[in-house]
Amino acid sequence: MTDTSSTGPTTDGTAPEAFDHVVVGGGMVAATAAAAIREAAPDATVLVLSDDVDAPYTRPALSKKLWTDPEYTEDDNDMGLAGTGAELRLRTRATAIDRDARTVTTSDGATVSYGRLLLATGGSPTTLDLPDDDRVVYFRTSADYRRLRALSGGQRHVVVVGGSYIGTEIAAALVQNDTRVTLVFPDEVLGGAVFPPELASSFERRYEEAGVALARGRRLERGTADDAGLHLVLDDGSTLDADAVVVGLGITPSVELAEQAGLTVDDGIVVDASLRTSDPLVFAAGDVAMYPDRILGRRRVEHVDNAKEQGPLVGRVMAGSDEEYAHTPYYYSKVFDLSYEAVGTIDSTTDTVVDDKGDGAAVAYYLSDDAVVGVLLWNVDEARDAARAVLAEGSAVDRDSLVGRI
Ligand SMILES: Cc1cc2nc3c(=O)[nH]c(=O)nc-3n(C[C@H](O)[C@H](O)[C@H](O)COP(=O)(O)OP(=O)(O)OC[C@H]3O[C@@H](n4cnc5c(N)ncnc54)[C@H](O)[C@@H]3O)c2cc1C
């Protein structure tokens, strides 16, 4: 067990409550890390501080399975932290870290001490110039899911802002649940920023066929709210009235605590291959961590596979293991009948080679300086390791040789 005896007293002179491990953040990394610590060190005390109102849950289901599988409930979506023996404090925000005293101060005025500290704070959603109103949803949490459920259905009109995975998944989820949907996105073709043109067209067609109204090449600029609903203004001056608006425009990594504590931060909390920050007693993982990927180089990954792999690893390292993170994560999404996965950098401004597999399946290779930097698997299963192998080659590739590789 970690020694916590050298931590200092609180300002009123009483000793802070001591834990071997303190985890800040109540998301997917927090749940998997806490479980791994307790498994590796069953006697270790673990405290999870979460500003959420719900115990950790599987976030991807909030925009997919909870809408498309009537059998699947929020209870099924709970990640089971309660069964690990870790202590969870909900509605509790960590507000400051004192690395000399090895303490964390929380929003309820308490101070706890740690032997090892994990920062798994994820990110906060990008906001727009919209009123502070219950009908404006910056979609991220289970509470947001419940709110959107209450605001949708019954042929109500929901405007979804953002053409990346959260926006496209929510638009698909809503239109399949008796809701009129307008999707506002800046690209000329939905998915055009990430998919090669032929795949973007087939992606967009699914939305048209499902009845989603597409506001192409548009951004939401501002809006007002009254009893009748929301009144939204797009960047070309056109207007939309809606019963609710969902914004899915990405996140900013939550690095404030790390910055305040004087840890190295560079578009994320900088960690080494063992997910240690510049302080050997403090770790970071998941969406917030800038880590060295063995194949792709230093990066921050905002995807669930990364969270589910880094969480257990950082937990084991905190409990004493000397492992390093050797996994190159993939990303996945599902909308309508389409399931796609990607490894590496998916950006349609790079050169692409598309290998059409027929029956709506394809593999797209993204090239930069004649090296493959990303692979997209379009309705293709069980090919992630093959994609990683192509990426690991790194050096100049013969374009023609790519067709048929996967
Ligand atoms: C709707 C949705 C759908 C998604 N779908 C996919 C998908 O299909 N495929 C995919 O690859 N990825 C998907 N993701 C991304 C994936 O869920 C994240 O990558 C993953 O949850 C990251 O885990 P994390 O623990 O790093 O952060 P999070 O799960 O975001 O958890 C961070 C937690 O920290 C808390 N917190 C932050 N600061 C503090 C503080 N100071 N004190 C206390 N608590 C704090 C936050 O409230 C939050 O609970 C999706 C995300 C969302 C929101």
Side-chain angles (χ1 to χ4, degrees):
M1 211 182 294
T2 313
D3 170 31
T4 56
S5 56
S6 65
T7 53
T10 55
T11 43
D12 66 2
T14 57
E17 207 179 346
F19 293 86
D20 298 318
H21 304 273
V22 172
V23 179
V24 179
M28 301 197 65
V29 166
T32 50
I37 295 170
R38 293 278 305 165
E39 199 177 321
D43 295 331
T45 53
V46 180
L47 174 67
V48 177
L49 299 169
S50 172
D51 64 1
D52 203 333
V53 299
D54 294 292
Y57 43 84
T58 304
R59 235 172 257 280
L62 302 179
S63 52
K64 294 183 274 297
K65 205 165 181 195
L66 281 163
W67 298 88
T68 55
D69 179 351
E71 306 293 312
Y72 192 77
T73 67
E74 277 193 87
D75 285 345
D76 299 321
N77 208 34
D78 182 280
M79 290 184 74
L81 180 67
T84 64
E87 180 177 336
L88 172 63
R89 293 189 190 160
L90 292 173
R91 300 182 178 82
T92 307
R93 190 165 178 76
T95 52
I97 297 166
D98 180 337
R99 290 198 288 126
D100 293 331
R102 286 198 238 151
T103 58
V104 178
T105 305
T106 55
S107 46
D108 53 3
T111 301
V112 294
S113 76
Y114 62 84
R116 303 258 190 285
L117 175 66
L118 171 60
L119 300 177
T121 47
S124 53
T126 302
T127 55
L128 291 173
D129 183 11
L130 291 169
D132 185 9
D133 187 287
D134 271 358
R135 294 164 293 181
V136 177
V137 185
Y138 296 101
F139 198 85
R140 187 86 197 149
T141 65
S142 256
D144 295 334
Y145 161 75
R146 292 190 288 273
R147 194 142 55 96
L148 188 57
R149 269 285 184 193
L151 291 164
S152 61
Q155 281 300 300
R156 280 177 283 185
H157 181 215
V158 177
V159 170
V160 179
V161 184
S164 68
Y165 73 90
I166 302 262
T168 53
E169 288 177 2
I170 288 289
L174 289 169
V175 80
Q176 292 173 93
N177 282 273
D178 196 25
T179 304
R180 288 182 294 126
V181 181
T182 301
L183 181 55
V184 179
F185 56 96
D187 299 322
E188 288 309 319
V189 179
L190 188 62
V194 285
F195 305 138
E198 56 272 56
L199 298 183
S201 300
S202 88
F203 187 69
E204 181 175 277
R205 208 173 313 120
R206 289 171 162 87
Y207 286 81
E208 288 175 322
E209 285 169 7
V212 175
L214 300 176
R216 297 181 184 83
R218 295 275 71 90
R219 293 172 198 273
L220 179 62
E221 212 156 72
R222 59 185 188 279
T224 54
D226 60 24
D227 289 349
L230 301 172
H231 312 289
L232 307 171
V233 183
L234 307 189
D235 57 354
D236 62 349
S238 61
T239 57
L240 289 169
D241 291 334
D243 296 300
V245 59
V246 186
V247 181
L249 291 176
I251 58 166
T252 306
S254 296
V255 296
E256 304 80 5
L257 270 181
E259 276 173 340
Q260 168 270 322
L263 298 168
T264 306
V265 170
D266 179 10
D267 180 34
I269 305 171
V270 175
V271 292
D272 66 14
S274 295
L275 308 182
R276 257 192 192 85
T277 67
S278 46
D279 178 334
L281 297 179
V282 184
F283 298 75
D287 283 10
V288 80
M290 174 65 79
Y291 77 95
D293 189 279
R294 288 214 177 152
I295 298 177
L296 305 169
R298 189 160 277 286
R299 62 187 46 220
R300 200 169 54 74
V301 174
E302 296 171 5
H303 294 310
V304 64
D305 178 45
N306 187 53
K308 281 163 77 177
E309 293 290 331
Q310 287 196 346
L313 181 120
V314 79
R316 291 193 298 273
V317 173
M318 289 169 75
S321 160
D322 60 2
E323 289 167 74
E324 295 192 341
Y325 190 59
H327 180 73
T328 292
Y330 75 97
Y331 154 68
Y332 82 96
S333 181
K334 281 185 188 152
V335 290
F336 304 114
D337 62 338
L338 170 69
S339 173
Y340 64 89
E341 298 177 345
V343 189
T345 304
I346 302 300
D347 172 357
S348 65
T349 60
T350 63
D351 194 12
T352 51
V353 173
V354 179
D355 183 2
D356 187 344
K357 303 284 186 193
D359 275 344
V363 176
Y365 301 88
Y366 295 70
L367 293 122
S368 176
D369 293 333
D370 286 333
V372 178
V373 294
V375 178
L376 172 66
L377 304 166
W378 193 260
N379 274 337
V380 172
D381 294 331
E382 304 299 329
R384 297 192 293 265
D385 283 340
R388 289 185 183 103
V390 174
L391 285 163
E393 285 171 22
S395 55
V397 292
D398 169 13
R399 294 172 58 97
D400 296 335
S401 74
L402 288 172
V403 174
R405 276 290 297 276
I406 293 175

